[in-house]
């Protein structure tokens, strides 16, 4: 018998800098802990994955995005960091936006939705994937770096 109480659907975005080999990264402080992750978040009830991705980009970054292609989805059991009895299913997409130029000139900038939440463009050549909080993010980033090499 399963002890899991619910699924936690998540969607994350791989947003590349429009003119340099850099990836947009989210840094969020919750309580005393700092979380490094890719932009994105939870899928709300009644939303599709694409709708959630678009909403998260508008809320966090203030931009409209286009999902270019699916990149990865969790292929293994992943418990939630905050509710260990819940299971996370995460979807990762390569995404683009005509508005990336509006945020590309800032190395670091504040999120539109939450205090203590910032974004930073990180060069792929020196990417600190080991600092990422989510195991699925680390898998995606290692894969991305292998393909970029």
């Amino acid at each position: 018998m399963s002890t899991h109480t619910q699924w936690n659907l998540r969607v994350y975005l791989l947003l590349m800098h429009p003119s340099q080999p850099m990836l947009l990264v989210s840094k969020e402080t919750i309580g005393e802990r700092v979380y490094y992750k890719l932009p994105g978040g939870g899928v709300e009830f009644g939303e599709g994955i694409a709708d959630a991705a678009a909403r998260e980009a508008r809320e966090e970054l203030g931009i409209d995005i286009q999902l270019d292609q699916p990149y990865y989805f969790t292929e293994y059991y992943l418990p939630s960091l905050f509710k260990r009895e819940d299971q996370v299913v995460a979807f990762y997409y390569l995404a683009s936006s005509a508005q990336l130029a509006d945020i590309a000139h800032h190395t670091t900038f504040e999120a539109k939705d939450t205090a203590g939440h910032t974004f930073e463009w990180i060069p792929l050549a020196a990417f600190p994937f080991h600092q990422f909080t989510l195991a699925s993010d680390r898998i995606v980033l290692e894969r991305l770096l292998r393909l970029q090499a």
Side-chain angles (χ1 to χ4, degrees):
M1 174 163 239
S2 175
T3 60
H4 298 286
T5 59
Q6 81 180 41
W7 296 97
N8 183 343
L9 297 179
R10 316 288 295 173
V11 62
Y12 295 104
L13 305 171
L14 293 158
L15 290 163
M16 300 301 294
H17 191 280
S19 63
Q20 299 178 46
M22 297 194 299
L23 183 68
L24 190 63
V25 172
S26 168
K27 178 182 173 186
E28 190 170 0
T29 303
I30 301 173
E32 298 293 318
R33 186 154 182 206
V34 176
Y35 295 88
Y36 290 91
K37 65 179 196 68
L38 293 169
V43 178
E44 296 177 357
F45 184 79
E47 262 184 334
I49 300 298
D51 296 330
R55 176 184 49 76
E56 288 288 342
R58 279 191 305 274
E59 288 176 1
E60 293 183 354
L61 301 167
I63 64 172
D64 294 315
I65 54 124
Q66 175 179 328
L67 296 179
D68 297 328
Q69 72 181 61
Y71 190 77
Y72 180 81
F73 61 90
T74 49
E75 299 171 322
Y76 57 91
Y77 171 70
L78 180 63
S80 170
L81 286 175
F82 301 103
K83 290 181 71 181
R84 299 303 284 178
E85 68 275 7
D86 289 353
Q87 182 170 349
V88 171
V89 177
F91 299 87
Y92 290 81
Y93 284 87
L94 291 170
S96 59
S97 172
Q99 297 167 306
L100 275 181
D102 297 341
I103 59 174
H105 62 281
H106 300 288
T107 303
T108 303
F109 56 95
E110 294 288 323
K112 303 288 185 194
D113 63 344
T114 309
H117 187 183
T118 59
F119 290 92
E120 184 175 347
W121 292 103
I122 304 288
L124 291 177
F127 208 83
F129 65 86
H130 60 280
Q131 292 181 356
F132 278 74
T133 307
L134 305 175
S136 55
D137 279 2
R138 289 191 300 272
I139 290 169
V140 167
L141 294 169
E142 287 175 14
R143 181 179 177 188
L144 179 66
L145 293 175
R146 270 195 316 271
L147 293 175
Q148 297 289 321

